[in-house]
Amino acid sequence: MNWKQILYKGLPVFLIAAVVVIVAAIVSRPKPQPKVTDSEDTVLDFNKLDITKGELYDMMKKNYGLLVLMDKVDRDLLADYKDKVDTEALEDKISEDKAKGEEDFYQGMVYQGVISSKEDPDAEEKIKDFYILSFLQKAYAKELAENEIIDEESKTHAIKEAKDAYHEDLCIITLKYDSKNEADAIKDKLTQESNILQFFKDEYAKQHENDIDTDDETTVEEPPFITEPFNCEYDRVVYTNYSNTSAFRNFVFNDTISGESFGIGDYNRAPKYIPNDKTYYFVYKVSQPKYIENFRESEEFKQYILDKLVENKLTGTYISNEIKDLRDTINLKIYDTEIAKQYKANFDDKFKTDLKLLKIKNGEQILASYKIDGETKYVKADDLYNLMKTKYSIQLLLDKINNEALKSIKDIRLSKSEKDEFMSQIKDYKTKYLSQPSPYSWSDFIALQFGAFSEQQLADILAAPELIERYMFGYKDHKGVSVITEEEINEAYKEWFSIEASHILFTFDPEDEESKALALEKGKQVINGCTDNGEYRDGITEDTCYIFYDPEDPTNEELPFAGLDEIKASQYKSAFKALAKEYSQDPSAEKNSGELGYFGPGQMVEEFENAAKEIANRIEEGGVPFTLIPVESTIERPDGDTHGFHVIYVTGSKDKASIDEDEQATYEKYIADLDDVDVNINEEYTQSQITKFNAYKAFRETLEQSIKEEKQKPENENRILAELRDLKNIQFNDPEIQAIYENINTLQKAFDPEDEQ
């Protein structure tokens, strides 16, 4: 076959193959995505970090695009519900988040571009607007739920049944017992008591004697059909707060027990065992609210029942489903394939993801469109960019800026071999990742997991801790900005201690002198007891003795405690553990019996620390291992301060490695000789000296490491990096991003390590 024959026969095949290749190339070509205008404009140009507007948009879109788009869509959809938002619940949610740590809360708001600073005059309104979306969604779902219940009443009779099932609130005295023997003993006592109510009150007081008094008592919202506030000193029970299967609810709200009446002023004569609680109960029904006449026929009662039914219906799943259904009515279209696929995966598996690009008259590209009340609304790529940049631009760029600032310092840069090592680690990591099934590509994975948009950026992220450490603590010719000095090590050496202790805590209300005096008296009774030689001490009676325990017979807890100062030293530990478990108002005492383990400088409040050190010093001189007067302190916690008196029992202490003053010069020579290859350490120094000097050296290195870890805390590290960035005079071309960047820099630089001491 000559070349012409080959050509004639092969040409059609070739043409078909060429067409297939061309079509495949066209089909597989990445689909154009909506772009921001001026996408090639530079947002930040710092050293080798050159970020364009388009690149920043892509970074933010990959991580936050869908989240921000749906935030905007839902706010538009629910705009008419702003007046129906439960503002009290909104404010409570903000207050709850603030209570976890107010400074951290406001810092978070600054980082997300919500406010410029805590002093922002419009801070509270901006924060409310930031939080409001979930409350708009709930307001919408609540209206739907209410309408559904009303519309279905004729079929389901839900309101009527709930009205019929309603039980009036009760104030009860609840006594709980773990064993049948205990419960039967109470049953026997009840048959002999003439004043049953007083007996219940006394038993209740004993069972709650060691409760920690907090100011956040739950306030019950009074139903509108109660004529006056219902004051309950004991346990207020609300029928609707319990599930239909609650055995306790059915017991308490029962009108008869074993055929006998069980109304106000009544109690169960025999213990009631509740299997789910594994507890035996006695309940005395003290009182109930006063209701308006024929309240069950009132409109207020009907609305109250309706509100309760709605509340039960408003689960997170119900709200999510209703919002999803609402979105289905707006003909939502998303022209960005990446965001559309995310929407499909998260919200609607039938969502169409392959739409042609859409432009409007001025050439700006549309990211999404939807209809509300017949009006088509458009979200441009520029709209999404502007919404994202206030919250997320600096979050995504700050680490990259830090890395570039650090890499600009010549003396701390990574060597070529170090860079190669990081890239080798990434290569191995990539191979392992790709060998396993995953919903994400490698590039998507490192973007979502690390915020890296290339392997080089990932290498920079992995190398950052090493560069920060070199910058802070010195490397080669670079003198670190946080170099640990000998003075700091010597100061830490001087302050060091390690003490093992246990404590018993009695809390009090600082506004209530009587509460404070009672807590102090309980602490004194742990130490000095209620009795001397078997007789009550002066000023103490049977009624004012609060601590009961007999170390000779720990099973007998009804004897007034004689005090730690009177019992045998061999019984200190067992007695203290038993007393802590029984009486301490530290919530963890029931499990750890008051044992705190070893602690060092700064781990306890100052008053506690000083007292523990004083006791440890006193033990060395033959003194008692516990406080003679309870120690008062205030413990600051995110959920509020705890004021109390501690009885402290020191059970051990560790000595620090040391050398004598006359050995100092020899030790310094020893340290120098360790680095001198010409010196034979074993010939120059005795084994005793080597052992002692090595122990002292290791101890000081431990102190140095603890100082280093303190300096490496995120707040301090952020401050140092913010100061470095200031030195580099970093400027964004976008004034809004620049303002957020400066706010964050100001916030980070304001951290003062001295305030943490």
Side-chain angles (χ1 to χ4, degrees), residues 325-382:
D325 289 346
L326 179 62
R327 290 176 187 149
D328 289 344
T329 67
I330 62 173
N331 192 27
L332 175 65
K333 295 179 180 178
I334 300 176
Y335 304 98
D336 184 295
T337 307
E338 191 173 78
I339 297 180
K341 286 178 179 177
Q342 289 179 18
Y343 184 87
K344 181 174 182 175
N346 285 278
F347 300 117
D348 184 357
D349 57 6
K350 296 178 181 177
F351 189 73
K352 190 174 180 181
T353 61
D354 190 20
L355 297 173
K356 292 181 180 179
L357 273 179
L358 185 65
K359 295 184 180 181
I360 55 178
K361 290 180 182 178
N362 60 8
E364 293 178 291
Q365 296 187 351
I366 299 301
L367 177 92
S369 66
Y370 48 95
K371 283 186 178 180
I372 299 178
D373 296 332
E375 179 189 353
T376 301
K377 292 180 176 286
Y378 297 99
V379 181
K380 297 175 288 188
D382 285 351

Side-chain angles (χ1 to χ4, degrees), residues 70 95-96 133 343 378 523 606 670 692 702:
M70 297 320 299
S95 297
E96 182 186 319
L133 180 58
Y343 184 87
Y378 297 99
E606 185 179 359
Y670 172 77
K692 190 172 187 179
T702 301

Side-chain angles (χ1 to χ4, degrees), residues 272-283:
K272 175 65 177 177
Y273 179 66
I274 305 292
N276 287 350
D277 299 348
K278 297 181 174 56
T279 301
Y280 292 87
Y281 286 94
F282 284 93
V283 166

Side-chain angles (χ1 to χ4, degrees), residues 517-560:
L518 178 61
L520 178 59
E521 181 58 30
K522 288 179 180 179
K524 287 182 176 179
Q525 287 180 15
V526 168
I527 297 164
N528 305 120
C530 294
T531 63
D532 278 330
N533 299 318
E535 300 294 328
Y536 281 110
R537 290 193 294 110
D538 288 346
I540 297 180
T541 66
E542 184 177 354
D543 292 334
T544 58
C545 177
Y546 308 105
I547 309 299
F548 293 84
Y549 177 73
D550 181 7
E552 300 293 341
D553 182 10
T555 61
N556 186 349
E557 296 178 358
E558 295 301 315
L559 293 179

